[in-house]
Amino acid sequence: AARFPNAIAGIITVAVIYFLGKKERSARFGTIWALLYLCAFLPQVYFRSAIIDPVFNLFIFLSAYYLFKSLSEDEKKLKRALWSGLFCGLAVLTKGPVGLLLVMLTFAVYVIVKRFKVLPNFKQVGIFALAVFVVSFLWFGVGVIQNGPWFIQEFIQYQIDLLTRPVAGHKQPFFYHFVVVFFGTFPLSVLALPSLVKKKRDTELERWWTILFWVVLILFSIVSTKIVHYSSMTYLPL
């Protein structure tokens, strides 16, 4: 019963990356993407586990995708900003504000790389922020109203502890997640390696996914507490 949500999340994730690959490139590309993800070791381990990261990663991935579409296309900008905010809010509900942090860091790096030529308007920002707030409020807000802010304060303090010191003995070298991702997603990692370091990108979406990958990998390499599944968000853009 504890592992059932992840099994469902696994089915949905593979379907999502197939249809996104089909939409953005071709049915063949979507099939290759889905099969590579199915063949990777650690994603399959997590889809058979009870840890919450597979659901968390799916929401972040969808939020990041719709945020990119809201920035890069002229039509349906507000609708896509809404979808991005809704999925980001669900990520926050799943595992806390780090869901918002990963999406916002990816956005910030992308804007800098594009030399501030790609910026959302006030309506897009407002709709995204409102969606994140409303969805997050369904649990965090109600909890504060009923019980006071103690839980939020303790939760934030715990996040700071994770960042600044190795909690529960989870101390590893800086390159720990580089090794985990490389061997844990074989053969996907070997095939993706040339794309991760090349300067020119075939599409802007490829650039966006590359930024998301490096944001997650570098952020959790800096964090003092290093647990193997912390870098699992890199698997989808990889």
Side-chain angles (χ1 to χ4, degrees):
R3 294 186 294 176
F4 182 72
N6 275 358
I8 299 301
I11 295 169
I12 294 173
T13 299
V14 173
V16 163
I17 59 180
Y18 166 74
F19 285 111
L20 285 187
K22 180 180 179 181
K23 178 182 178 182
E24 298 296 336
R25 187 68 65 88
S26 66
R28 179 173 179 269
F29 181 83
T31 301
I32 292 171
W33 190 3
L35 287 175
L36 282 172
Y37 202 69
L38 281 169
C39 291
F41 173 68
L42 280 181
Q44 296 308 307
V45 171
Y46 295 146
F47 288 142
R48 289 164 171 78
S49 74
I51 66 171
I52 207 164
D53 291 70
V55 178
F56 180 61
N57 293 338
L58 177 60
F59 288 145
I60 293 177
F61 181 71
L62 288 170
S63 176
Y65 174 74
Y66 279 108
L67 180 58
F68 171 80
K69 301 299 283 187
S70 177
L71 293 171
S72 62
E73 296 188 359
D74 295 330
E75 298 180 356
K76 301 180 180 179
K77 284 181 175 290
L78 298 183
K79 182 178 180 181
R80 283 163 176 159
L82 175 62
W83 278 112
S84 178
L86 290 174
F87 283 120
C88 190
L90 289 171
V92 173
L93 278 184
T94 305
K95 205 178 178 181
V98 69
L100 176 62
L101 176 64
L102 293 177
V103 174
M104 289 296 94
L105 282 177
T106 302
F107 164 75
V109 174
Y110 183 73
V111 168
I112 292 171
V113 169
K114 297 294 291 183
R115 299 179 181 179
F116 297 91
K117 295 178 181 178
V118 179
L119 289 171
N121 57 43
F122 287 110
K123 287 185 178 180
Q124 288 170 282
V125 173
I127 288 177
F128 175 86
L130 182 63
V132 174
F133 174 79
V134 169
V135 175
S136 303
F137 186 85
L138 294 175
W139 194 84
F140 286 101
V142 173
V144 171
I145 292 171
Q146 291 181 344
N147 306 305
W150 69 271
F151 174 81
I152 301 296
Q153 293 169 355
E154 291 293 325
F155 188 80
I156 292 174
Q157 183 58 50
Y158 181 68
Q159 301 300 313
I160 294 173
D161 288 343
L162 289 175
L163 176 64
T164 57
R165 62 188 182 89
V167 175
H170 292 288
K171 182 176 177 58
Q172 301 290 347
F174 178 83
F175 57 83
Y176 173 76
H177 285 298
F178 288 80
V179 176
V180 168
V181 173
F182 182 80
F183 288 102
T185 61
F186 182 87
L188 180 58
S189 55
V190 175
L191 295 172
L193 193 59
S195 181
L196 291 173
V197 295
K198 70 180 183 181
K199 294 183 179 180
K200 293 184 178 180
R201 301 289 161 187
D202 296 332
T203 65
E204 283 302 303
L205 184 55
E206 182 189 352
R207 186 191 307 278
W208 177 264
W209 289 140
T210 306
I211 291 172
L212 175 59
F213 172 87
W214 285 114
V215 162
V216 175
L217 191 60
I218 293 173
L219 176 64
F220 288 109
S221 295
I222 294 172
V223 170
S224 294
T225 304
K226 293 179 175 64
I227 304 176
V228 63
H229 59 264
Y230 276 15
S231 56
S232 59
M233 184 55 232
T234 59
Y235 306 161
L236 283 161
L238 185 65

